[in-house]
Amino acid sequence: MVRPIPPPPASSPPLALYAHFPWCVRKCPYCDFNSHALQHDQSGGLPETEYITALLADLEHELATRGEMFATRPLRSVFLGGGTPSLFGPAAIARFLAGVRARLAVVADLEVTLEANPGTVEHARFTGYREAGVTRISLGVQSFDDAKLAMLGRIHGADEARRAATEVQATGFATFNLDLMYALPQQDAAGALADVATALSLGAPHVSHYELTLEPNTLFHAKPPAGLPDDESAWALQASAHAALQTGGLEQYEVSAWARSPAHRCCHNLNYWEFGDYVGLGAGAHGKLTDAHGAVWRTERERHPARYLERAGDASVLSLRRVVPAQLPFEFMLNALRLRDGVERTLFTQRTGLAWNAIAETVDGLRRRGLLNDDPQRLCASALGFRRMNDLLLEFLPDSTGAIA
């Protein structure tokens, strides 16, 4: 039974929910997400039932302690990320989604995304996930080159990835995503374009196309693989792949996101980029909530799965931090300027509670330098600003006095 939805305050941001599933079969050497190889878990296996119970207890505690920040707003999307959520069977996912619906109101066309590794999904499971309430699958393909997949530490091969994408469509999912990486060690333009061509041939209506980066606290950062392209070569690979994606009928709507039409854009990620709110559940999950006074709060859960399981539903599982007003322009721009078309200027005040004059001088300066488009009604990076995104965003960092540079 769906709960009646009381009207939220007119200024409240849209609401989403993110649930983190922290286990993987094997940790990839480039991954800096909170993921833990199953063989290192003290339980010796996947605590499927216990973890779903913990997630729902976590949600109950969040409602009891911070429900006034979000309980009056309907959920617009749910994202099940990881780690590898597809290690959990359809029955576990169904139990979690039913628990969410029993506790929160949701919109009629709720988007529910499940991240899946082609090497951990028995293809018959896709039907079970769809029946559980999942509406969108995101496949972590990364490449269709077996040698590149082995170098990346992936547990699947190219044939498994192709079969998984075909099975998702055959199961009847209206939309799905394929993750692709570029600027891989010893990758040339032909290899990067071959990955894009395969994704397009499989009918992918959404592609996430992102550069391999050496993140701190990863094996690749400690021991970089040989043959990584330099910045100019990586840029050339990106440009050729982006041209192929566009020719193939996909439109870039965010730095790394391409969709065949607006209907295939990821609603959940759009909520992040438009500085919406989201409840974060699970080991290491982050959240963002806006209170009745317009203050923005960041939440973070205990990262270690065993400790999270022990303490879920307890205040000690969570850390809570208010985003001070001086930091809000940077946090807003860090998300909004990733969008190819940017956002309406009015959204800045709606989502941060700050007056336009907090950033007006900085925006005018960036427009004069050609890093922002000269549109008084929108905040949108120019083509140059899109390429020099880091330089653009640094202009919104406050100095020691709290003023924007």
Side-chain angles (χ1 to χ4, degrees):
M1 181 176 69
V2 177
R3 294 182 178 183
I5 304 172
S11 60
S12 295
L15 183 70
L17 185 147
Y18 174 79
H20 192 74
F21 294 75
W23 290 280
C24 289
V25 174
R26 183 170 64 205
K27 180 83 171 180
C28 295
Y30 59 85
C31 178
D32 68 336
F33 295 137
N34 185 39
S35 58
H36 302 258
L38 273 175
Q39 59 265 34
H40 299 307
D41 178 53
Q42 292 181 350
S43 70
L46 184 70
E48 193 173 60
T49 300
E50 297 88 342
Y51 195 70
I52 298 299
T53 298
L55 288 174
L56 295 176
D58 196 358
L59 177 56
E60 287 279 4
H61 185 264
E62 191 76 348
L63 279 165
T65 55
R66 273 167 294 282
E68 75 281 355
M69 292 191 192
F70 64 91
T72 61
R73 287 177 277 167
L75 279 182
R76 296 183 180 274
S77 65
V78 175
F79 198 101
L80 312 177
T84 309
S86 56
L87 289 172
F88 283 65
I93 299 301
R95 180 183 164 218
F96 174 67
L97 293 175
V100 169
R101 288 178 177 273
R103 292 164 175 82
L104 296 171
V106 303
V107 297
D109 56 347
L110 180 71
E111 176 192 271
V112 180
T113 299
L114 174 81
E115 288 186 335
N117 186 321
T120 63
V121 179
E122 299 171 5
H123 298 314
R125 277 191 169 190
F126 287 127
T127 298
Y129 290 136
R130 187 164 179 260
E131 292 173 349
V134 174
T135 65
R136 182 176 180 273
I137 295 289
S138 182
L139 288 171
V141 171
Q142 315 314 350
S143 177
F144 292 99
D145 182 318
D146 282 326
K148 294 292 188 286
L149 288 170
M151 178 277 302
L152 291 170
R154 305 297 290 175
I155 64 171
H156 69 275
D159 286 344
E160 285 178 293
R162 293 187 189 94
R163 286 196 299 270
T166 300
E167 184 69 20
V168 167
Q169 294 180 83
T171 303
F173 282 94
T175 193
F176 66 96
N177 169 65
L178 298 182
D179 278 346
L180 291 180
M181 300 179 79
Y182 71 93
L184 304 178
Q186 301 176 3
Q187 185 179 54
D188 56 16
L193 289 172
D195 282 342
V196 169
T198 301
L200 292 171
S201 73
L202 290 168
H206 190 287
V207 171
S208 295
H209 188 255
Y210 54 98
E211 182 179 354
L212 172 65
T213 54
L214 306 186
E215 301 289 354
N217 302 315
T218 65
L219 182 59
F220 273 4
H221 189 268
K223 298 180 178 180
L228 284 170
D230 58 27
D231 289 345
E232 287 303 313
S233 298
W235 175 257
L237 289 174
Q238 181 195 78
S240 59
H242 283 191
L245 287 164
Q246 188 170 13
T247 300
L250 272 64
E251 179 184 17
Q252 185 182 29
Y253 68 100
E254 186 266 346
V255 169
S256 304
W258 294 73
R260 194 164 297 282
S261 71
H264 291 292
R265 294 178 179 181
C266 179
C267 173
H268 187 86
N269 288 340
L270 279 170
N271 186 57
Y272 290 152
W273 299 323
E274 293 174 352
F275 214 52
D277 282 356
Y278 53 100
V279 178
L281 304 176
H286 292 250
K288 169 189 172 283
L289 295 171
T290 305
D291 67 24
H293 305 289
V296 176
W297 298 83
R298 294 288 187 182
T299 65
E300 183 178 358
R301 260 57 184 180
E302 162 63 48
R303 289 176 57 84
H304 195 278
R307 289 195 292 270
Y308 177 83
L309 281 166
E310 292 171 0
R311 293 154 52 186
D314 186 287
S316 64
V317 83
L318 175 78
S319 64
L320 186 68
R321 172 182 64 86
R322 181 179 177 181
V323 182
V324 297
Q327 290 285 346
L328 283 171
F330 176 74
E331 291 216 10
F332 178 88
M333 297 298 178
L334 184 65
N335 291 279
L337 292 182
R338 293 178 64 92
L339 291 168
R340 172 58 82 178
D341 294 330
V343 296
E344 292 186 7
R345 164 182 158 164
T346 54
L347 195 69
F348 173 76
T349 295
Q350 290 173 12
R351 298 291 157 85
T352 66
L354 301 176
W356 176 253
N357 62 17
I359 59 169
E361 185 177 346
T362 301
V363 167
D364 289 343
L366 290 168
R367 284 176 175 157
R368 287 193 296 270
R369 292 166 56 190
L371 295 175
L372 288 179
N373 281 345
D374 192 16
D375 183 343
Q377 302 306 317
R378 296 192 70 79
L379 286 163
C380 182
S382 65
L384 177 63
F386 219 60
R387 181 172 183 180
R388 295 174 55 189
M389 184 62 70
N390 287 341
D391 293 337
L392 174 57
L393 293 172
L394 285 173
E395 295 297 318
F396 293 98
L397 274 175
D399 60 22
S400 59
T401 67
I404 296 174

